[in-house]
mmCIF file of all heavy atoms in Angstrom:
data_model
loop_
_atom_site.group_PDB
_atom_site.id
_atom_site.type_symbol
_atom_site.label_atom_id
_atom_site.label_comp_id
_atom_site.label_asym_id
_atom_site.label_seq_id
_atom_site.Cartn_x
_atom_site.Cartn_y
_atom_site.Cartn_z
ATOM 1 N N GLY I 19 0.862 -1.151 -0.009
ATOM 2 C CA GLY I 19 0.008 -0.054 0.055
ATOM 3 C C GLY I 19 0.828 1.287 -0.016
ATOM 4 O O GLY I 19 0.618 2.139 -0.723
ATOM 5 N N LEU I 20 1.899 1.291 0.798
ATOM 6 C CA LEU I 20 2.812 2.512 0.870
ATOM 7 C C LEU I 20 3.523 2.692 -0.345
ATOM 8 O O LEU I 20 3.690 3.875 -0.767
ATOM 9 C CB LEU I 20 3.695 2.306 2.075
ATOM 10 C CG LEU I 20 3.127 2.507 3.446
ATOM 11 C CD1 LEU I 20 4.154 2.299 4.594
ATOM 12 C CD2 LEU I 20 2.623 3.917 3.587
ATOM 13 N N LEU I 21 3.950 1.560 -0.887
ATOM 14 C CA LEU I 21 4.923 1.673 -2.077
ATOM 15 C C LEU I 21 4.006 1.976 -3.550
ATOM 16 O O LEU I 21 4.692 2.428 -4.425
ATOM 17 C CB LEU I 21 5.733 0.527 -2.257
ATOM 18 C CG LEU I 21 6.681 0.277 -1.087
ATOM 19 C CD1 LEU I 21 7.340 -1.045 -1.168
ATOM 20 C CD2 LEU I 21 7.656 1.434 -1.066
ATOM 21 N N ALA I 22 2.798 1.686 -3.412
ATOM 22 C CA ALA I 22 2.058 1.802 -4.814
ATOM 23 C C ALA I 22 1.964 3.386 -5.199
ATOM 24 O O ALA I 22 1.844 3.668 -6.285
ATOM 25 C CB ALA I 22 0.623 1.290 -4.421
ATOM 26 N N GLY I 23 2.178 4.224 -4.226
ATOM 27 C CA GLY I 23 2.140 5.658 -4.596
ATOM 28 C C GLY I 23 3.491 6.359 -4.641
ATOM 29 O O GLY I 23 3.524 7.586 -4.687
ATOM 30 N N GLN I 24 4.444 5.575 -4.586
ATOM 31 C CA GLN I 24 5.928 6.146 -4.702
ATOM 32 C C GLN I 24 6.262 6.511 -6.200
ATOM 33 O O GLN I 24 5.638 5.857 -7.061
ATOM 34 C CB GLN I 24 6.956 5.267 -4.052
ATOM 35 C CG GLN I 24 6.605 4.906 -2.616
ATOM 36 C CD GLN I 24 6.591 6.177 -1.753
ATOM 37 O OE1 GLN I 24 7.314 7.156 -1.877
ATOM 38 N NE2 GLN I 24 5.649 6.249 -0.733
ATOM 39 N N GLU I 25 7.451 7.264 -6.304
ATOM 40 C CA GLU I 25 7.805 7.480 -7.669
ATOM 41 C C GLU I 25 8.792 6.485 -8.242
ATOM 42 O O GLU I 25 9.111 6.639 -9.455
ATOM 43 C CB GLU I 25 8.481 9.001 -7.660
ATOM 44 C CG GLU I 25 7.486 10.073 -7.395
ATOM 45 C CD GLU I 25 6.495 10.230 -8.402
ATOM 46 O OE1 GLU I 25 6.756 10.084 -9.673
ATOM 47 O OE2 GLU I 25 5.266 10.329 -8.157
ATOM 48 N N PHE I 26 9.164 5.542 -7.517
ATOM 49 C CA PHE I 26 10.155 4.597 -7.854
ATOM 50 C C PHE I 26 9.647 3.225 -8.045
ATOM 51 O O PHE I 26 8.621 2.824 -7.370
ATOM 52 C CB PHE I 26 11.376 4.563 -6.999
ATOM 53 C CG PHE I 26 11.069 4.415 -5.620
ATOM 54 C CD1 PHE I 26 10.737 3.227 -4.953
ATOM 55 C CD2 PHE I 26 10.998 5.622 -4.803
ATOM 56 C CE1 PHE I 26 10.569 3.126 -3.649
ATOM 57 C CE2 PHE I 26 10.776 5.553 -3.363
ATOM 58 C CZ PHE I 26 10.450 4.294 -2.840
ATOM 59 N N ASP I 27 10.215 2.404 -8.959
ATOM 60 C CA ASP I 27 9.834 1.047 -9.039
ATOM 61 C C ASP I 27 10.394 0.187 -7.812
ATOM 62 O O ASP I 27 11.465 0.601 -7.293
ATOM 63 C CB ASP I 27 10.310 0.296 -10.350
ATOM 64 C CG ASP I 27 9.813 1.031 -11.602
ATOM 65 O OD1 ASP I 27 8.816 1.767 -11.451
ATOM 66 O OD2 ASP I 27 10.343 0.749 -12.713
ATOM 67 N N VAL I 28 9.701 -0.786 -7.365
ATOM 68 C CA VAL I 28 10.304 -1.607 -6.356
ATOM 69 C C VAL I 28 9.806 -3.034 -6.376
ATOM 70 O O VAL I 28 8.726 -3.313 -6.993
ATOM 71 C CB VAL I 28 9.964 -1.024 -5.064
ATOM 72 C CG1 VAL I 28 8.443 -1.143 -4.708
ATOM 73 C CG2 VAL I 28 10.691 -1.704 -3.821
ATOM 74 N N THR I 29 10.572 -4.003 -5.888
ATOM 75 C CA THR I 29 10.304 -5.496 -6.001
ATOM 76 C C THR I 29 10.319 -5.822 -4.413
ATOM 77 O O THR I 29 11.267 -5.615 -3.798
ATOM 78 C CB THR I 29 11.277 -6.278 -6.821
ATOM 79 O OG1 THR I 29 11.167 -5.990 -8.164
ATOM 80 C CG2 THR I 29 10.879 -7.824 -6.770
ATOM 81 N N LEU I 30 9.272 -6.633 -4.061
ATOM 82 C CA LEU I 30 9.244 -7.246 -2.777
ATOM 83 C C LEU I 30 9.428 -8.638 -2.871
ATOM 84 O O LEU I 30 8.665 -9.400 -3.532
ATOM 85 C CB LEU I 30 7.900 -6.891 -2.014
ATOM 86 C CG LEU I 30 7.499 -5.443 -1.858
ATOM 87 C CD1 LEU I 30 6.103 -5.272 -1.409
ATOM 88 C CD2 LEU I 30 8.518 -4.740 -1.086
ATOM 89 N N THR I 31 10.442 -9.303 -2.064
ATOM 90 C CA THR I 31 10.611 -10.652 -2.008
ATOM 91 C C THR I 31 10.475 -11.202 -0.672
ATOM 92 O O THR I 31 10.464 -10.423 0.345
ATOM 93 C CB THR I 31 11.967 -10.997 -2.556
ATOM 94 O OG1 THR I 31 13.008 -10.534 -1.705
ATOM 95 C CG2 THR I 31 12.127 -10.438 -4.053
ATOM 96 N N GLY I 32 10.416 -12.495 -0.429
ATOM 97 C CA GLY I 32 10.534 -13.073 0.903
ATOM 98 C C GLY I 32 11.125 -14.524 0.935
ATOM 99 O O GLY I 32 11.552 -14.892 -0.166
ATOM 100 N N ASP I 33 11.009 -15.223 2.002
ATOM 101 C CA ASP I 33 11.706 -16.496 2.158
ATOM 102 C C ASP I 33 10.753 -17.472 1.556
ATOM 103 O O ASP I 33 9.667 -17.307 0.953
ATOM 104 C CB ASP I 33 11.987 -16.809 3.590
ATOM 105 C CG ASP I 33 10.725 -17.042 4.435
ATOM 106 O OD1 ASP I 33 9.601 -16.949 3.901
ATOM 107 O OD2 ASP I 33 10.945 -17.158 5.704
ATOM 108 N N GLU I 34 10.991 -18.782 1.708
ATOM 109 C CA GLU I 34 10.257 -19.831 1.051
ATOM 110 C C GLU I 34 8.831 -19.877 1.507
ATOM 111 O O GLU I 34 7.975 -20.051 0.730
ATOM 112 C CB GLU I 34 10.891 -21.198 1.326
ATOM 113 C CG GLU I 34 10.326 -22.352 0.550
ATOM 114 C CD GLU I 34 11.006 -23.674 0.885
ATOM 115 O OE1 GLU I 34 12.068 -23.604 1.591
ATOM 116 O OE2 GLU I 34 10.617 -24.697 0.363
ATOM 117 N N SER I 35 8.680 -19.669 2.818
ATOM 118 C CA SER I 35 7.305 -19.678 3.279
ATOM 119 C C SER I 35 6.492 -18.525 2.902
ATOM 120 O O SER I 35 5.363 -18.785 2.404
ATOM 121 C CB SER I 35 7.404 -19.652 4.923
ATOM 122 O OG SER I 35 6.077 -19.607 5.526
ATOM 123 N N LEU I 36 6.956 -17.347 2.901
ATOM 124 C CA LEU I 36 6.275 -16.188 2.516
ATOM 125 C C LEU I 36 5.940 -16.183 0.925
ATOM 126 O O LEU I 36 4.931 -15.796 0.537
ATOM 127 C CB LEU I 36 7.094 -14.953 2.774
ATOM 128 C CG LEU I 36 6.428 -13.657 2.473
ATOM 129 C CD1 LEU I 36 5.018 -13.338 3.203
ATOM 130 C CD2 LEU I 36 7.225 -12.386 2.879
ATOM 131 N N SER I 37 6.829 -16.898 0.201
ATOM 132 C CA SER I 37 6.661 -16.945 -1.211
ATOM 133 C C SER I 37 5.469 -17.857 -1.597
ATOM 134 O O SER I 37 5.202 -17.770 -2.743
ATOM 135 C CB SER I 37 7.974 -17.399 -1.838
ATOM 136 O OG SER I 37 8.925 -16.512 -1.593
ATOM 137 N N LYS I 38 4.844 -18.528 -0.685
ATOM 138 C CA LYS I 38 3.729 -19.270 -0.943
ATOM 139 C C LYS I 38 2.488 -18.628 -0.551
ATOM 140 O O LYS I 38 1.359 -19.343 -0.784
ATOM 141 C CB LYS I 38 3.931 -20.747 -0.231
ATOM 142 C CG LYS I 38 5.004 -21.468 -0.600
ATOM 143 C CD LYS I 38 5.190 -22.765 0.228
ATOM 144 C CE LYS I 38 6.434 -23.641 -0.162
ATOM 145 N NZ LYS I 38 6.597 -24.789 0.779
ATOM 146 N N ARG I 39 2.499 -17.582 -0.028
ATOM 147 C CA ARG I 39 1.304 -16.873 0.582
ATOM 148 C C ARG I 39 0.650 -15.982 -0.502
ATOM 149 O O ARG I 39 1.156 -15.411 -1.221
ATOM 150 C CB ARG I 39 1.534 -16.106 1.783
ATOM 151 C CG ARG I 39 2.223 -17.141 2.803
ATOM 152 C CD ARG I 39 2.641 -16.385 4.162
ATOM 153 N NE ARG I 39 1.521 -15.747 4.908
ATOM 154 C CZ ARG I 39 1.570 -15.118 6.030
ATOM 155 N NH1 ARG I 39 2.759 -14.886 6.620
ATOM 156 N NH2 ARG I 39 0.541 -14.624 6.619
ATOM 157 N N PRO I 40 -0.770 -15.946 -0.491
ATOM 158 C CA PRO I 40 -1.519 -15.320 -1.434
ATOM 159 C C PRO I 40 -1.404 -13.608 -1.246
ATOM 160 O O PRO I 40 -1.492 -13.106 -0.173
ATOM 161 C CB PRO I 40 -3.079 -15.630 -1.148
ATOM 162 C CG PRO I 40 -2.945 -15.981 0.239
ATOM 163 C CD PRO I 40 -1.698 -16.559 0.634
ATOM 164 N N MET I 41 -1.109 -12.985 -2.344
ATOM 165 C CA MET I 41 -0.882 -11.521 -2.367
ATOM 166 C C MET I 41 -1.930 -10.776 -3.407
ATOM 167 O O MET I 41 -1.893 -9.564 -3.255
ATOM 168 C CB MET I 41 0.569 -11.205 -2.830
ATOM 169 C CG MET I 41 1.508 -11.581 -1.794
ATOM 170 S SD MET I 41 1.471 -10.802 -0.207
ATOM 171 C CE MET I 41 2.194 -12.010 0.994
ATOM 172 N N GLU I 42 -2.668 -11.454 -4.040
ATOM 173 C CA GLU I 42 -3.610 -10.904 -4.880
ATOM 174 C C GLU I 42 -4.741 -10.214 -4.171
ATOM 175 O O GLU I 42 -5.316 -9.183 -4.578
ATOM 176 C CB GLU I 42 -4.284 -11.844 -5.973
ATOM 177 C CG GLU I 42 -3.554 -12.178 -7.126
ATOM 178 C CD GLU I 42 -3.344 -10.866 -8.088
ATOM 179 O OE1 GLU I 42 -4.362 -10.217 -8.222
ATOM 180 O OE2 GLU I 42 -2.257 -10.623 -8.463
ATOM 181 N N ARG I 43 -4.917 -10.569 -2.908
ATOM 182 C CA ARG I 43 -5.994 -9.900 -1.999
ATOM 183 C C ARG I 43 -5.555 -8.361 -1.721
ATOM 184 O O ARG I 43 -6.394 -7.686 -1.555
ATOM 185 C CB ARG I 43 -6.120 -10.697 -0.760
ATOM 186 C CG ARG I 43 -4.751 -10.838 0.073
ATOM 187 C CD ARG I 43 -4.950 -11.618 1.256
ATOM 188 N NE ARG I 43 -5.562 -12.903 1.104
ATOM 189 C CZ ARG I 43 -5.954 -13.783 2.155
ATOM 190 N NH1 ARG I 43 -5.740 -13.285 3.442
ATOM 191 N NH2 ARG I 43 -6.410 -14.930 1.814
ATOM 192 N N VAL I 44 -4.301 -8.099 -1.795
ATOM 193 C CA VAL I 44 -3.920 -6.618 -1.681
ATOM 194 C C VAL I 44 -3.583 -6.101 -3.098
ATOM 195 O O VAL I 44 -3.952 -4.792 -3.334
ATOM 196 C CB VAL I 44 -2.592 -6.611 -0.925
ATOM 197 C CG1 VAL I 44 -2.972 -6.785 0.673
ATOM 198 C CG2 VAL I 44 -1.537 -7.222 -1.314
ATOM 199 N N ALA I 45 -3.152 -6.885 -4.076
ATOM 200 C CA ALA I 45 -2.902 -6.376 -5.385
ATOM 201 C C ALA I 45 -4.202 -5.909 -6.088
ATOM 202 O O ALA I 45 -4.162 -4.842 -6.874
ATOM 203 C CB ALA I 45 -2.215 -7.459 -6.290
ATOM 204 N N LYS I 46 -5.330 -6.688 -5.839
ATOM 205 C CA LYS I 46 -6.538 -6.260 -6.593
ATOM 206 C C LYS I 46 -7.178 -4.933 -6.237
ATOM 207 O O LYS I 46 -7.345 -4.074 -7.172
ATOM 208 C CB LYS I 46 -7.587 -7.263 -6.379
ATOM 209 C CG LYS I 46 -8.950 -6.970 -7.060
ATOM 210 C CD LYS I 46 -10.095 -8.054 -6.653
ATOM 211 C CE LYS I 46 -11.371 -7.658 -7.508
ATOM 212 N NZ LYS I 46 -11.759 -6.275 -7.187
ATOM 213 N N PRO I 47 -7.228 -4.625 -5.025
ATOM 214 C CA PRO I 47 -7.781 -3.158 -4.620
ATOM 215 C C PRO I 47 -6.807 -2.188 -4.992
ATOM 216 O O PRO I 47 -7.188 -0.933 -5.370
ATOM 217 C CB PRO I 47 -8.043 -3.206 -3.065
ATOM 218 C CG PRO I 47 -7.260 -4.330 -2.634
ATOM 219 C CD PRO I 47 -7.174 -5.425 -3.718
ATOM 220 N N LEU I 48 -5.442 -2.397 -4.935
ATOM 221 C CA LEU I 48 -4.488 -1.421 -5.372
ATOM 222 C C LEU I 48 -4.542 -1.134 -6.753
ATOM 223 O O LEU I 48 -4.474 -0.072 -7.282
ATOM 224 C CB LEU I 48 -3.050 -1.926 -4.973
ATOM 225 C CG LEU I 48 -2.769 -1.984 -3.526
ATOM 226 C CD1 LEU I 48 -1.399 -2.532 -3.263
ATOM 227 C CD2 LEU I 48 -2.817 -0.588 -2.873
ATOM 228 N N ARG I 49 -4.826 -2.170 -7.633
ATOM 229 C CA ARG I 49 -4.975 -1.941 -9.073
ATOM 230 C C ARG I 49 -6.289 -1.089 -9.308
ATOM 231 O O ARG I 49 -6.350 -0.296 -10.241
ATOM 232 C CB ARG I 49 -5.099 -3.329 -9.859
ATOM 233 C CG ARG I 49 -3.862 -4.050 -9.875
ATOM 234 C CD ARG I 49 -3.955 -5.220 -10.793
ATOM 235 N NE ARG I 49 -2.759 -6.143 -10.617
ATOM 236 C CZ ARG I 49 -2.921 -7.378 -10.058
ATOM 237 N NH1 ARG I 49 -4.175 -7.730 -9.662
ATOM 238 N NH2 ARG I 49 -1.858 -8.062 -9.968
ATOM 239 N N ASP I 50 -7.358 -1.235 -8.487
ATOM 240 C CA ASP I 50 -8.577 -0.578 -8.663
ATOM 241 C C ASP I 50 -8.259 1.003 -8.346
ATOM 242 O O ASP I 50 -8.949 1.817 -8.848
ATOM 243 C CB ASP I 50 -9.587 -1.009 -7.555
ATOM 244 C CG ASP I 50 -10.190 -2.404 -8.068
ATOM 245 O OD1 ASP I 50 -9.902 -2.790 -9.165
ATOM 246 O OD2 ASP I 50 -10.812 -3.115 -7.150
ATOM 247 N N MET I 51 -7.219 1.266 -7.578
ATOM 248 C CA MET I 51 -6.808 2.581 -7.246
ATOM 249 C C MET I 51 -5.923 3.171 -8.346
ATOM 250 O O MET I 51 -5.650 4.410 -8.126
ATOM 251 C CB MET I 51 -6.107 2.658 -5.898
ATOM 252 C CG MET I 51 -7.003 2.125 -4.686
ATOM 253 S SD MET I 51 -6.132 2.102 -3.099
ATOM 254 C CE MET I 51 -6.103 3.877 -2.759
ATOM 255 N N GLY I 52 -5.541 2.382 -9.243
ATOM 256 C CA GLY I 52 -4.539 2.832 -10.358
ATOM 257 C C GLY I 52 -3.154 2.357 -10.205
ATOM 258 O O GLY I 52 -2.350 2.759 -11.006
ATOM 259 N N ALA I 53 -2.895 1.559 -9.222
ATOM 260 C CA ALA I 53 -1.615 1.023 -9.092
ATOM 261 C C ALA I 53 -1.171 0.058 -10.255
ATOM 262 O O ALA I 53 -2.068 -0.700 -10.714
ATOM 263 C CB ALA I 53 -1.263 0.347 -7.682
ATOM 264 N N VAL I 54 0.025 0.055 -10.538
ATOM 265 C CA VAL I 54 0.513 -1.020 -11.499
ATOM 266 C C VAL I 54 1.386 -2.044 -10.792
ATOM 267 O O VAL I 54 2.480 -1.735 -10.329
ATOM 268 C CB VAL I 54 1.319 -0.392 -12.628
ATOM 269 C CG1 VAL I 54 1.981 -1.565 -13.516
ATOM 270 C CG2 VAL I 54 0.461 0.542 -13.500
ATOM 271 N N ILE I 55 0.792 -3.299 -10.533
ATOM 272 C CA ILE I 55 1.449 -4.184 -9.446
ATOM 273 C C ILE I 55 1.308 -5.575 -10.139
ATOM 274 O O ILE I 55 0.293 -5.891 -10.702
ATOM 275 C CB ILE I 55 0.658 -4.038 -8.093
ATOM 276 C CG1 ILE I 55 1.327 -5.003 -7.116
ATOM 277 C CG2 ILE I 55 -0.853 -4.211 -8.155
ATOM 278 C CD1 ILE I 55 0.884 -4.779 -5.711
ATOM 279 N N GLU I 56 2.371 -6.253 -9.880
ATOM 280 C CA GLU I 56 2.459 -7.637 -10.623
ATOM 281 C C GLU I 56 2.921 -8.611 -9.526
ATOM 282 O O GLU I 56 3.871 -8.474 -8.849
ATOM 283 C CB GLU I 56 3.426 -7.609 -11.778
ATOM 284 C CG GLU I 56 3.741 -8.923 -12.483
ATOM 285 C CD GLU I 56 4.798 -8.859 -13.531
ATOM 286 O OE1 GLU I 56 5.138 -7.735 -14.046
ATOM 287 O OE2 GLU I 56 5.500 -9.946 -13.765
ATOM 288 N N THR I 57 2.104 -9.767 -9.461
ATOM 289 C CA THR I 57 2.476 -10.773 -8.519
ATOM 290 C C THR I 57 3.120 -11.903 -9.275
ATOM 291 O O THR I 57 3.068 -12.097 -10.478
ATOM 292 C CB THR I 57 1.328 -11.240 -7.684
ATOM 293 O OG1 THR I 57 0.250 -11.665 -8.667
ATOM 294 C CG2 THR I 57 0.726 -10.163 -6.831
ATOM 295 N N GLY I 58 3.650 -12.842 -8.559
ATOM 296 C CA GLY I 58 4.284 -13.917 -9.140
ATOM 297 C C GLY I 58 3.354 -15.048 -9.572
ATOM 298 O O GLY I 58 2.178 -14.906 -9.528
ATOM 299 N N GLU I 59 3.751 -16.205 -9.839
ATOM 300 C CA GLU I 59 2.875 -17.310 -10.156
ATOM 301 C C GLU I 59 1.927 -17.640 -9.125
ATOM 302 O O GLU I 59 2.181 -17.709 -7.957
ATOM 303 C CB GLU I 59 3.767 -18.645 -10.321
ATOM 304 C CG GLU I 59 3.051 -19.749 -10.941
ATOM 305 C CD GLU I 59 3.879 -21.012 -11.123
ATOM 306 O OE1 GLU I 59 5.188 -20.871 -11.121
ATOM 307 O OE2 GLU I 59 3.418 -22.165 -11.470
ATOM 308 N N GLY I 60 0.589 -17.800 -9.540
ATOM 309 C CA GLY I 60 -0.356 -18.099 -8.499
ATOM 310 C C GLY I 60 -0.732 -16.959 -7.665
ATOM 311 O O GLY I 60 -1.384 -17.097 -6.514
ATOM 312 N N GLY I 61 -0.305 -15.714 -8.016
ATOM 313 C CA GLY I 61 -0.648 -14.666 -7.169
ATOM 314 C C GLY I 61 0.073 -14.451 -5.923
ATOM 315 O O GLY I 61 -0.268 -13.747 -4.850
ATOM 316 N N ARG I 62 1.328 -15.097 -5.932
ATOM 317 C CA ARG I 62 2.196 -15.075 -4.837
ATOM 318 C C ARG I 62 3.453 -14.222 -5.090
ATOM 319 O O ARG I 62 3.636 -13.842 -6.119
ATOM 320 C CB ARG I 62 2.646 -16.496 -4.577
ATOM 321 C CG ARG I 62 1.343 -17.421 -4.087
ATOM 322 C CD ARG I 62 1.728 -18.827 -3.826
ATOM 323 N NE ARG I 62 0.673 -19.637 -3.340
ATOM 324 C CZ ARG I 62 -0.396 -20.015 -4.044
ATOM 325 N NH1 ARG I 62 -0.359 -19.982 -5.355
ATOM 326 N NH2 ARG I 62 -1.254 -20.738 -3.440
ATOM 327 N N PRO I 63 4.233 -13.910 -4.035
ATOM 328 C CA PRO I 63 5.510 -13.212 -4.212
ATOM 329 C C PRO I 63 6.379 -13.862 -5.193
ATOM 330 O O PRO I 63 6.351 -15.179 -5.357
ATOM 331 C CB PRO I 63 6.123 -13.179 -2.874
ATOM 332 C CG PRO I 63 4.930 -13.334 -1.900
ATOM 333 C CD PRO I 63 4.043 -14.344 -2.618
ATOM 334 N N PRO I 64 7.442 -13.182 -5.805
ATOM 335 C CA PRO I 64 7.663 -11.761 -5.565
ATOM 336 C C PRO I 64 6.511 -10.765 -6.192
ATOM 337 O O PRO I 64 5.935 -11.145 -7.098
ATOM 338 C CB PRO I 64 8.931 -11.539 -6.290
ATOM 339 C CG PRO I 64 8.990 -12.572 -7.459
ATOM 340 C CD PRO I 64 8.257 -13.748 -6.884
ATOM 341 N N ILE I 65 6.558 -9.552 -5.709
ATOM 342 C CA ILE I 65 5.716 -8.463 -6.125
ATOM 343 C C ILE I 65 6.454 -7.301 -6.709
ATOM 344 O O ILE I 65 7.339 -6.858 -5.989
ATOM 345 C CB ILE I 65 4.845 -8.025 -4.863
ATOM 346 C CG1 ILE I 65 3.974 -9.127 -4.353
ATOM 347 C CG2 ILE I 65 3.899 -6.833 -5.379
ATOM 348 C CD1 ILE I 65 3.194 -8.653 -3.057
ATOM 349 N N LYS I 66 6.008 -6.988 -7.808
ATOM 350 C CA LYS I 66 6.692 -5.860 -8.466
ATOM 351 C C LYS I 66 5.719 -4.707 -8.616
ATOM 352 O O LYS I 66 4.562 -4.853 -9.130
ATOM 353 C CB LYS I 66 7.216 -6.283 -9.944
ATOM 354 C CG LYS I 66 8.244 -7.364 -9.943
ATOM 355 C CD LYS I 66 8.707 -7.867 -11.395
ATOM 356 C CE LYS I 66 9.738 -8.815 -11.209
ATOM 357 N NZ LYS I 66 10.263 -9.273 -12.580
#
């Protein structure tokens, strides 16, 4: 949420456990707000 409104590109990564957790639940409303956000396979990290 904080990074969706910044002027720079950023990628968020995590460990093996975090990389299996769903992230589309935050990506969807952020896209509705105009953010350009890309999740990995299956809607999981990494997030760009």
Side-chain angles (χ1 to χ4, degrees):
L20 285 177
L21 296 174
Q24 303 301 322
E25 292 298 315
F26 50 82
D27 297 350
V28 66
T29 298
L30 302 174
T31 66
D33 67 8
E34 183 179 359
S35 173
L36 183 56
S37 297
K38 296 176 181 177
R39 298 176 68 180
M41 293 296 156
E42 277 296 315
R43 57 179 57 184
V44 293
K46 181 186 181 302
L48 291 176
R49 292 191 191 107
D50 292 344
M51 299 176 75
V54 177
I55 181 169
E56 176 185 335
T57 57
E59 183 179 354
R62 296 176 173 84
I65 298 175
K66 296 180 180 179

